[in-house]
PDB file of all heavy atoms in Angstrom:
ATOM      1  N   THR A  32      51.039  27.887   3.338  1.00 95.00           N
ATOM      2  CA  THR A  32      51.739  28.548   2.231  1.00 95.00           C
ATOM      3  C   THR A  32      50.849  29.688   1.753  1.00 95.00           C
ATOM      4  O   THR A  32      49.648  29.478   1.526  1.00 95.00           O
ATOM      5  CB  THR A  32      51.996  27.587   1.061  1.00 95.00           C
ATOM      6  OG1 THR A  32      52.792  26.497   1.532  1.00 95.00           O
ATOM      7  CG2 THR A  32      52.707  28.307  -0.069  1.00 95.00           C
ATOM      8  N   PHE A  36      49.081  36.058  -6.433  1.00 98.00           N
ATOM      9  CA  PHE A  36      48.769  35.825  -7.835  1.00 98.00           C
ATOM     10  C   PHE A  36      48.291  37.154  -8.434  1.00 98.00           C
ATOM     11  O   PHE A  36      47.909  38.064  -7.703  1.00 98.00           O
ATOM     12  CB  PHE A  36      47.673  34.772  -7.980  1.00 98.00           C
ATOM     13  CG  PHE A  36      48.098  33.389  -7.578  1.00 98.00           C
ATOM     14  CD1 PHE A  36      48.230  33.038  -6.246  1.00 98.00           C
ATOM     15  CD2 PHE A  36      48.360  32.423  -8.549  1.00 98.00           C
ATOM     16  CE1 PHE A  36      48.630  31.759  -5.873  1.00 98.00           C
ATOM     17  CE2 PHE A  36      48.750  31.143  -8.179  1.00 98.00           C
ATOM     18  CZ  PHE A  36      48.883  30.810  -6.850  1.00 98.00           C
ATOM     19  N   ALA A  96      46.422  34.169  -1.621  1.00 97.00           N
ATOM     20  CA  ALA A  96      45.756  32.888  -1.430  1.00 97.00           C
ATOM     21  C   ALA A  96      46.495  32.093  -0.379  1.00 97.00           C
ATOM     22  O   ALA A  96      47.712  32.278  -0.184  1.00 97.00           O
ATOM     23  CB  ALA A  96      45.712  32.116  -2.748  1.00 97.00           C
ATOM     24  N   ALA A  97      45.775  31.195   0.277  1.00 96.00           N
ATOM     25  CA  ALA A  97      46.368  30.418   1.358  1.00 96.00           C
ATOM     26  C   ALA A  97      46.103  28.932   1.161  1.00 96.00           C
ATOM     27  O   ALA A  97      44.985  28.524   0.821  1.00 96.00           O
ATOM     28  CB  ALA A  97      45.791  30.871   2.696  1.00 96.00           C
ATOM     29  N   ALA A  98      47.135  28.175   1.376  1.00 95.00           N
ATOM     30  CA  ALA A  98      47.027  26.711   1.435  1.00 95.00           C
ATOM     31  C   ALA A  98      47.353  26.299   2.855  1.00 95.00           C
ATOM     32  O   ALA A  98      48.350  26.743   3.415  1.00 95.00           O
ATOM     33  CB  ALA A  98      47.986  26.052   0.456  1.00 95.00           C
ATOM     34  N   ALA A  99      46.527  25.447   3.410  1.00 90.00           N
ATOM     35  CA  ALA A  99      46.671  25.071   4.827  1.00 90.00           C
ATOM     36  C   ALA A  99      47.725  23.984   5.033  1.00 90.00           C
ATOM     37  O   ALA A  99      47.527  23.054   5.803  1.00 90.00           O
ATOM     38  CB  ALA A  99      45.319  24.620   5.368  1.00 90.00           C
ATOM     39  N   ARG A 100      48.842  24.128   4.332  1.00 90.00           N
ATOM     40  CA  ARG A 100      49.948  23.188   4.447  1.00 90.00           C
ATOM     41  C   ARG A 100      51.138  23.779   3.705  1.00 90.00           C
ATOM     42  O   ARG A 100      50.998  24.719   2.913  1.00 90.00           O
ATOM     43  CB  ARG A 100      49.569  21.837   3.826  1.00 90.00           C
ATOM     44  CG  ARG A 100      49.261  21.943   2.335  1.00 90.00           C
ATOM     45  CD  ARG A 100      48.395  20.786   1.864  1.00 90.00           C
ATOM     46  NE  ARG A 100      48.016  20.921   0.475  1.00 90.00           N
ATOM     47  CZ  ARG A 100      47.056  21.724   0.035  1.00 90.00           C
ATOM     48  NH1 ARG A 100      46.357  22.465   0.850  1.00 90.00           N
ATOM     49  NH2 ARG A 100      46.765  21.761  -1.257  1.00 90.00           N
ATOM     50  N   LEU A 102      53.513  23.795   0.815  1.00 93.00           N
ATOM     51  CA  LEU A 102      53.508  23.275  -0.551  1.00 93.00           C
ATOM     52  C   LEU A 102      54.923  23.060  -1.045  1.00 93.00           C
ATOM     53  O   LEU A 102      55.838  23.810  -0.720  1.00 93.00           O
ATOM     54  CB  LEU A 102      52.796  24.245  -1.485  1.00 93.00           C
ATOM     55  CG  LEU A 102      51.325  24.514  -1.237  1.00 93.00           C
ATOM     56  CD1 LEU A 102      50.812  25.561  -2.216  1.00 93.00           C
ATOM     57  CD2 LEU A 102      50.498  23.252  -1.344  1.00 93.00           C
ATOM     58  N   ILE A 103      55.099  22.039  -1.861  1.00 93.00           N
ATOM     59  CA  ILE A 103      56.378  21.878  -2.552  1.00 93.00           C
ATOM     60  C   ILE A 103      56.445  22.907  -3.666  1.00 93.00           C
ATOM     61  O   ILE A 103      55.421  23.392  -4.153  1.00 93.00           O
ATOM     62  CB  ILE A 103      56.546  20.451  -3.105  1.00 93.00           C
ATOM     63  CG1 ILE A 103      55.419  20.111  -4.088  1.00 93.00           C
ATOM     64  CG2 ILE A 103      56.582  19.438  -1.968  1.00 93.00           C
ATOM     65  CD1 ILE A 103      55.590  18.757  -4.757  1.00 93.00           C
ATOM     66  N   SER A 105      57.058  22.913  -6.773  1.00 92.00           N
ATOM     67  CA  SER A 105      56.388  22.643  -8.055  1.00 92.00           C
ATOM     68  C   SER A 105      54.884  22.879  -7.987  1.00 92.00           C
ATOM     69  O   SER A 105      54.238  22.994  -9.035  1.00 92.00           O
ATOM     70  CB  SER A 105      56.673  21.218  -8.513  1.00 92.00           C
ATOM     71  OG  SER A 105      56.193  20.304  -7.559  1.00 92.00           O
ATOM     72  N   SER A 106      54.337  22.977  -6.791  1.00 94.00           N
ATOM     73  CA  SER A 106      52.886  23.201  -6.646  1.00 94.00           C
ATOM     74  C   SER A 106      52.544  24.629  -6.237  1.00 94.00           C
ATOM     75  O   SER A 106      51.371  24.968  -6.186  1.00 94.00           O
ATOM     76  CB  SER A 106      52.330  22.252  -5.578  1.00 94.00           C
ATOM     77  OG  SER A 106      52.468  20.913  -5.977  1.00 94.00           O
ATOM     78  N   MET A 107      53.551  25.433  -5.969  1.00 95.00           N
ATOM     79  CA  MET A 107      53.280  26.744  -5.390  1.00 95.00           C
ATOM     80  C   MET A 107      52.523  27.670  -6.306  1.00 95.00           C
ATOM     81  O   MET A 107      51.810  28.533  -5.838  1.00 95.00           O
ATOM     82  CB  MET A 107      54.601  27.387  -4.954  1.00 95.00           C
ATOM     83  CG  MET A 107      55.135  26.863  -3.656  1.00 95.00           C
ATOM     84  SD  MET A 107      56.630  27.773  -3.158  1.00 95.00           S
ATOM     85  CE  MET A 107      56.912  27.064  -1.548  1.00 95.00           C
ATOM     86  N   PHE A 108      52.646  27.541  -7.600  1.00 95.00           N
ATOM     87  CA  PHE A 108      51.923  28.429  -8.521  1.00 95.00           C
ATOM     88  C   PHE A 108      50.690  27.756  -9.144  1.00 95.00           C
ATOM     89  O   PHE A 108      50.088  28.285 -10.076  1.00 95.00           O
ATOM     90  CB  PHE A 108      52.840  28.937  -9.625  1.00 95.00           C
ATOM     91  CG  PHE A 108      53.796  29.996  -9.183  1.00 95.00           C
ATOM     92  CD1 PHE A 108      54.859  30.379 -10.013  1.00 95.00           C
ATOM     93  CD2 PHE A 108      53.671  30.636  -7.977  1.00 95.00           C
ATOM     94  CE1 PHE A 108      55.746  31.373  -9.611  1.00 95.00           C
ATOM     95  CE2 PHE A 108      54.544  31.629  -7.567  1.00 95.00           C
ATOM     96  CZ  PHE A 108      55.589  32.005  -8.394  1.00 95.00           C
ATOM     97  N   ALA A 109      50.315  26.595  -8.590  1.00 95.00           N
ATOM     98  CA  ALA A 109      49.128  25.909  -9.086  1.00 95.00           C
ATOM     99  C   ALA A 109      47.919  26.438  -8.322  1.00 95.00           C
ATOM    100  O   ALA A 109      47.830  26.284  -7.099  1.00 95.00           O
ATOM    101  CB  ALA A 109      49.269  24.409  -8.901  1.00 95.00           C
ATOM    102  N   ILE A 110      46.983  27.018  -9.037  1.00 96.00           N
ATOM    103  CA  ILE A 110      45.813  27.609  -8.404  1.00 96.00           C
ATOM    104  C   ILE A 110      45.058  26.588  -7.579  1.00 96.00           C
ATOM    105  O   ILE A 110      44.558  26.889  -6.486  1.00 96.00           O
ATOM    106  CB  ILE A 110      44.913  28.248  -9.469  1.00 96.00           C
ATOM    107  CG1 ILE A 110      45.607  29.486 -10.054  1.00 96.00           C
ATOM    108  CG2 ILE A 110      43.545  28.611  -8.903  1.00 96.00           C
ATOM    109  CD1 ILE A 110      44.866  30.115 -11.214  1.00 96.00           C
ATOM    110  N   ARG A 111      44.986  25.361  -8.042  1.00 96.00           N
ATOM    111  CA  ARG A 111      44.224  24.335  -7.343  1.00 96.00           C
ATOM    112  C   ARG A 111      44.865  23.922  -6.015  1.00 96.00           C
ATOM    113  O   ARG A 111      44.245  23.230  -5.213  1.00 96.00           O
ATOM    114  CB  ARG A 111      44.081  23.099  -8.228  1.00 96.00           C
ATOM    115  CG  ARG A 111      45.409  22.402  -8.511  1.00 96.00           C
ATOM    116  CD  ARG A 111      45.218  21.188  -9.429  1.00 96.00           C
ATOM    117  NE  ARG A 111      46.470  20.495  -9.684  1.00 96.00           N
ATOM    118  CZ  ARG A 111      47.350  20.856 -10.605  1.00 96.00           C
ATOM    119  NH1 ARG A 111      47.101  21.890 -11.370  1.00 96.00           N
ATOM    120  NH2 ARG A 111      48.449  20.160 -10.774  1.00 96.00           N
ATOM    121  N   SER A 112      46.107  24.353  -5.781  1.00 96.00           N
ATOM    122  CA  SER A 112      46.767  24.020  -4.516  1.00 96.00           C
ATOM    123  C   SER A 112      46.247  24.817  -3.343  1.00 96.00           C
ATOM    124  O   SER A 112      46.504  24.475  -2.199  1.00 96.00           O
ATOM    125  CB  SER A 112      48.280  24.269  -4.650  1.00 96.00           C
ATOM    126  OG  SER A 112      48.867  23.442  -5.627  1.00 96.00           O
ATOM    127  N   TYR A 113      45.518  25.912  -3.621  1.00 96.00           N
ATOM    128  CA  TYR A 113      45.133  26.843  -2.588  1.00 96.00           C
ATOM    129  C   TYR A 113      43.683  26.662  -2.149  1.00 96.00           C
ATOM    130  O   TYR A 113      42.809  26.394  -2.970  1.00 96.00           O
ATOM    131  CB  TYR A 113      45.389  28.276  -3.059  1.00 96.00           C
ATOM    132  CG  TYR A 113      46.860  28.545  -3.165  1.00 96.00           C
ATOM    133  CD1 TYR A 113      47.562  28.187  -4.320  1.00 96.00           C
ATOM    134  CD2 TYR A 113      47.580  29.062  -2.094  1.00 96.00           C
ATOM    135  CE1 TYR A 113      48.939  28.366  -4.401  1.00 96.00           C
ATOM    136  CE2 TYR A 113      48.947  29.252  -2.185  1.00 96.00           C
ATOM    137  CZ  TYR A 113      49.613  28.897  -3.326  1.00 96.00           C
ATOM    138  OH  TYR A 113      50.978  29.074  -3.406  1.00 96.00           O
ATOM    139  N   ASP A 114      43.474  26.810  -0.843  1.00 93.00           N
ATOM    140  CA  ASP A 114      42.167  26.562  -0.244  1.00 93.00           C
ATOM    141  C   ASP A 114      41.309  27.812  -0.140  1.00 93.00           C
ATOM    142  O   ASP A 114      40.072  27.726  -0.187  1.00 93.00           O
ATOM    143  CB  ASP A 114      42.350  25.963   1.168  1.00 93.00           C
ATOM    144  CG  ASP A 114      43.250  24.755   1.156  1.00 93.00           C
ATOM    145  OD1 ASP A 114      42.914  23.772   0.470  1.00 93.00           O
ATOM    146  OD2 ASP A 114      44.309  24.791   1.827  1.00 93.00           O
ATOM    147  N   SER A 115      41.959  28.959   0.032  1.00 95.00           N
ATOM    148  CA  SER A 115      41.204  30.184   0.273  1.00 95.00           C
ATOM    149  C   SER A 115      41.840  31.338  -0.484  1.00 95.00           C
ATOM    150  O   SER A 115      43.078  31.378  -0.638  1.00 95.00           O
ATOM    151  CB  SER A 115      41.183  30.522   1.772  1.00 95.00           C
ATOM    152  OG  SER A 115      40.602  29.476   2.503  1.00 95.00           O
ATOM    153  N   TRP A 116      41.010  32.273  -0.901  1.00 96.00           N
ATOM    154  CA  TRP A 116      41.466  33.430  -1.693  1.00 96.00           C
ATOM    155  C   TRP A 116      40.931  34.723  -1.113  1.00 96.00           C
ATOM    156  O   TRP A 116      39.782  34.771  -0.604  1.00 96.00           O
ATOM    157  CB  TRP A 116      40.977  33.293  -3.131  1.00 96.00           C
ATOM    158  CG  TRP A 116      41.644  32.182  -3.872  1.00 96.00           C
ATOM    159  CD1 TRP A 116      41.337  30.841  -3.797  1.00 96.00           C
ATOM    160  CD2 TRP A 116      42.752  32.299  -4.775  1.00 96.00           C
ATOM    161  NE1 TRP A 116      42.185  30.126  -4.612  1.00 96.00           N
ATOM    162  CE2 TRP A 116      43.046  30.992  -5.218  1.00 96.00           C
ATOM    163  CE3 TRP A 116      43.494  33.366  -5.259  1.00 96.00           C
ATOM    164  CZ2 TRP A 116      44.096  30.740  -6.125  1.00 96.00           C
ATOM    165  CZ3 TRP A 116      44.515  33.115  -6.157  1.00 96.00           C
ATOM    166  CH2 TRP A 116      44.805  31.820  -6.579  1.00 96.00           C
TER     167      TRP A 116
END
Side-chain angles (χ1 to χ4, degrees):
T32 301
F36 292 75
R100 61 202 176 282
L102 297 176
I103 59 175
S105 61
S106 297
M107 282 184 174
F108 285 168
I110 291 174
R111 66 181 182 277
S112 297
Y113 291 85
D114 307 300
S115 301
W116 291 80

